[in-house]
Amino acid sequence: MSNQSTLQIGQIVKILKGKDAGQVAVVVSIEDSRFVYIADGNKRKFDQRKKKSLLHLEPQSFISSEVANSLNESGRVTNGKLRFAVTKFVQSTEPHAEEKGD
């Protein structure tokens, strides 16, 4: 699959296999041509990132520049930035979703 070789740090992916199937996460590092590390900042923190096969992920077109810049500058990213990136992506794909609050 040609689209899997274009994964970038900061890119949003949908998890297809495993106990987190159906969840959305952010690519925080690239191991090699077959594996990447993902985290979402909530259930899967940056320090407990998950190694996943590219075959078990569905790349999305959304790339978080905040996460990518932070990882490129310091090699780390806050869990808050990961949560923000995931939330921003989910809201952009579901504009009719009801907002929580008040």
Side-chain angles (χ1 to χ4, degrees):
M1 296 182 193
S2 62
N3 65 345
Q4 291 179 341
S5 63
T6 61
L7 272 178
Q8 298 176 22
I9 289 177
Q11 186 166 359
I12 301 288
V13 293
K14 191 171 196 177
I15 303 168
L16 302 175
K17 302 279 184 180
K19 69 176 185 176
D20 296 332
Q23 300 289 325
V24 177
V26 183
V27 175
V28 293
S29 67
I30 299 173
E31 174 79 8
D32 54 30
S33 62
R34 292 181 46 216
F35 293 99
V36 295
Y37 285 94
I38 60 170
D40 66 5
N42 192 16
K43 196 173 124 183
R44 179 69 62 185
K45 309 276 191 212
F46 177 76
D47 291 327
Q48 299 291 321
R49 55 193 178 263
K50 175 74 177 164
K51 184 177 182 179
K52 288 294 272 186
S53 167
L54 294 178
L55 299 175
H56 297 171
L57 299 173
E58 179 185 324
Q60 306 297 309
S61 58
F62 187 89
I63 297 174
S64 170
S65 59
E66 294 95 352
V67 172
N69 291 340
S70 181
L71 284 166
N72 287 335
E73 288 172 12
S74 66
R76 293 188 58 80
V77 66
T78 64
N79 292 315
K81 282 186 183 177
L82 292 172
R83 285 191 300 270
F84 178 76
V86 169
T87 302
K88 196 168 157 186
F89 168 74
V90 169
Q91 287 176 348
S92 71
T93 58
E94 300 175 8
H96 54 72
E98 296 179 20
E99 292 185 14
K100 295 181 181 176
D102 298 63

